[in-house]
Amino acid sequence: MAKPTPTAGVSTRAPASQRSRTAEMLQHAKAMGKTIEVAIDGSPIAVPLGTSILEAAGQLGIRIPTLCYHEDLCLAGVCRVCVVEIEGQRTLQAACSYPISSPINVKTHTSKVRRARRHIIDLLLSSHVGECYTCSRNQSCELRELAAEYGVDFFRFGHVQKPRYEIDASSHAVVRDMNKCVLCRRCIRTCIDLQEVGVLEALYRGNRSKVGTFLDRPLADVVCINCGQCINRCPTGALRANDPTDEVWDAIDDPRKHVLIQTAPSPRAAIGECFGLEPGHAVTFELNTALRRCGFDRVFDTDFSADLTIIEEGVELLLRLKRALVDGDASVALPQFTSCSPGWVKYVEHFYPERLAHLSSAKSPQQMFGALLKTYYAQINELDPRDIVTVALMPCSAKKFECNRPEMCASGHKDIDYGLTTRELAKMIHEAGIDLLKLPKSGFDDPFGTATGSGVIFGATGGVMEAALRTVVELVTGLKIEKLFDHADVIPVRGFEGIRYAELPISQIGPVPELVAHLFDNWDFLKDVTLKVGVAHGTANAKRVMEDIKAGGRFSQCHFIEFMACPGGCLGGGGQPSPTSPAIRAARA
Amino acid sequence: MLLTERERLHDELAELVTRYGRDRSSLLFILQEVQRRHYHISQYAMQVIADLLDIHPVEVHSVVSFYSFLDERPQGQFVIRLCRTITCDMAGKDHVARQLENDLGIKFGETTPDGKFSLDWANCLGMCDRGPALLVNQQVHTQVTPEKVHGILQECRQTFGVHATSDGRETRT
Ligand code: SF4
Ligand code: SF4
Ligand code: FES
Ligand code: FES
């Protein structure tokens, strides 16, 4: 029970709720570090000191609406949608950021609370350019849901119609429409705290405040790595991916165009969520049928080119090792970094340009496939590459940027014409009136229909590196291994949560296989070598590893490190269905 | 900006960072000092400060754009901020404003071409009982009349040529 603190000798004019509460907490000193009994809507619950009211209510199955709160992010407490009443306190408190420190009696939906929430929502709506019909998030907007939940039936404080800001569509990946922004700052916390890239911050103050970039530059001109994590966490349509579905439809409708699509494993594991499935149900083969019905001429599996990437990266690693160990070339850039996450590649370009040589020179699976389709595939099918339109279904917004990089057209044609995210493809399927879940299954098209199985784990983190190492071990020892990490010593690295490190001793060597006989005479240089490898996902973790390398730590001794820009790897990509949370990402794996 | 000038600024900022500590909590002190010395915080300065403090440039920009007393664009050596809130308004701030604009030949929000004076609005300075009030850098003037404006500007001008400092005395006229 909150009581005003009697502060001896000092008469204070501050309202009860704002008076110092230290003395009161001491009164419950016995509870420090222990559990505290509170009551929420009459239900008692004992929670550890410091638990937020929101968490405690969640345990009781009581839902408190939130807006700025996000499970992946630190607290902001800025929107006040989650206000609740605490008996004895004059003002309402934000449930998400109120740490329980004394036995309190919380009421979550008194009339005072409901009125306050409604007012807050009314105020948010008053400066939000809501054009729900045309909004990319009209099915998944948290603001619209709140308005519905609180029965907003008119605009109490008005409703702006005229946009105040120009839409920033400069980036190939992320489009920012600040007219729909409710200043919840989730994107800021995503970019600065979760990803540690540091593109977005709140600028200016008061009614001029807005989310912006350094000097308010367009997104294409700043250090944004296009990871799209901010899109996934925005509650409104203020942030969205740069959507090429109209162009893809045009290509499909054009009879002269031969439209090819490749699908990556992660979107196949998540697209069902857009059709009402619980996270964690892959619909790969139904999706193939849906894509054919949409009008794509061929449906390919990115796993095929993932295998190519893996072989190239594996052989490149062997070549680098040979140069370092046999030729004694000290300039060889080791550890080798994976290069299939375009967000990560751009991150290195901006923040560690001196380490670019460490990146593998292999193209990403998406781009390899594109190059193959416009050359080899065109040849064997007697097609003019100019009539081929290549589309890639990816879990990723950075892939849109990657396929537009000017150097990605070695064949003389753009390797990949359009990158679609999981969300955008789901929209196309809806638009075509197809009920994905009821479709018969169908396989991938040949000649690219047979992948080895390495590629399938490409999407989960640890995938690329694991697959490439498996290839390396297979080439060198002649042995097939099913699970690499069963053979390796996975060594926990303290202070590096979410980062893996493993050592893999090469105990025997075999003959050099045909495939690489022109590159290596023998494997003697690898005898008794212990391969050291690391895996880091999320740029915040990547940064830790890069700093460790700079400082000459454990990771500087590695031979091969896999990096992915998104937390949770491709399954948590910026093009995956919203919302996202640790539980959803785990279920997709 | 010439390379040498940039280098000089870089060294100056590095020195400030050493003085206040290489920590994000030093940011405001450093920015205030840069503003005092250079009458604004340039893009380049923001980037260097971010680099030295190991934070993101956009975070520095966020702080600079938040505070009215930190400027992205060069301000005059003397920034005159006239209160426009209701009490000062009723006490005749419009006449004072007109006089300032006349004497300086600039409008509010502008800086004189010689870079000596900037005119700006302020909200309530807490001097409502003695309005109209204005600030010259950090020095408060109260009960300002159009007649007094000339004297205030003259006082500023006298410091030119010597060492113009924006450290206001805490006296009230
Ligand atoms: S896409 Fe990624 S790097 Fe770019 S602003 Fe969003 S979170 Fe930051
Ligand atoms: S852009 Fe979206 S996530 Fe960012 S502050 Fe605005 S509403 Fe929140
Ligand atoms: S959700 Fe609690 S303040 Fe925004
Ligand atoms: S109204 Fe001008 S100082 Fe308060």
Side-chain angles (χ1 to χ4, degrees), chain A residues 197-199 202 204-205 214-215, chain B residues 43 56-58 61-62 65-66 68:
Chain A
V197 181
V199 172
Y204 311 107
R205 189 186 45 198
F214 183 56
L215 308 175
Chain B
Q43 299 176 10
H56 305 289
V58 71
H61 184 213
S62 168
S65 66
F66 183 87
S68 325

Side-chain angles (χ1 to χ4, degrees), chain A residues 178 181-187 211 233-236 238-239:
Chain A
M178 287 304 105
C181 173
V182 293
L183 295 170
C184 70
R185 288 149 205 243
R186 283 197 203 170
C187 54
V211 175
R233 287 174 184 78
C234 179
T236 70
L239 299 176

Side-chain angles (χ1 to χ4, degrees), chain A residues 191-192 196-206 208 212-217 351 543, chain B residues 24 42-44 46-47 54 56-63 65-69 72-73:
Chain A
C191 197
I192 292 191
E196 294 190 23
V197 181
V199 172
L200 303 172
E201 244 298 6
L203 304 180
Y204 311 107
R205 189 186 45 198
R208 288 174 65 222
T213 59
F214 183 56
L215 308 175
D216 226 351
R217 292 264 165 81
F351 294 93
K543 186 176 168 186
Chain B
R24 65 186 294 148
S42 65
Q43 299 176 10
Y44 178 69
M46 289 194 246
Q47 281 171 301
D54 202 14
H56 305 289
V58 71
E59 293 180 274
V60 180
H61 184 213
S62 168
V63 171
S65 66
F66 183 87
Y67 290 104
S68 325
F69 281 60
E72 290 168 54
R73 269 165 286 282

Side-chain angles (χ1 to χ4, degrees), chain A residues 66-69 77-80 82 94 96:
Chain A
T66 54
L67 187 63
C68 68
Y69 175 82
V78 290
C79 75
R80 315 314 277 185
C82 65
C96 69

Side-chain angles (χ1 to χ4, degrees), chain A residues 473 476-477 479 487 504-510 526-530:
Chain A
V473 171
V476 173
T477 64
L479 296 176
H487 296 258
L504 182 75
I506 297 187
S507 39
Q508 65 175 97
I509 50 174
L526 287 173
K527 212 169 183 173
D528 299 326
V529 165
T530 298

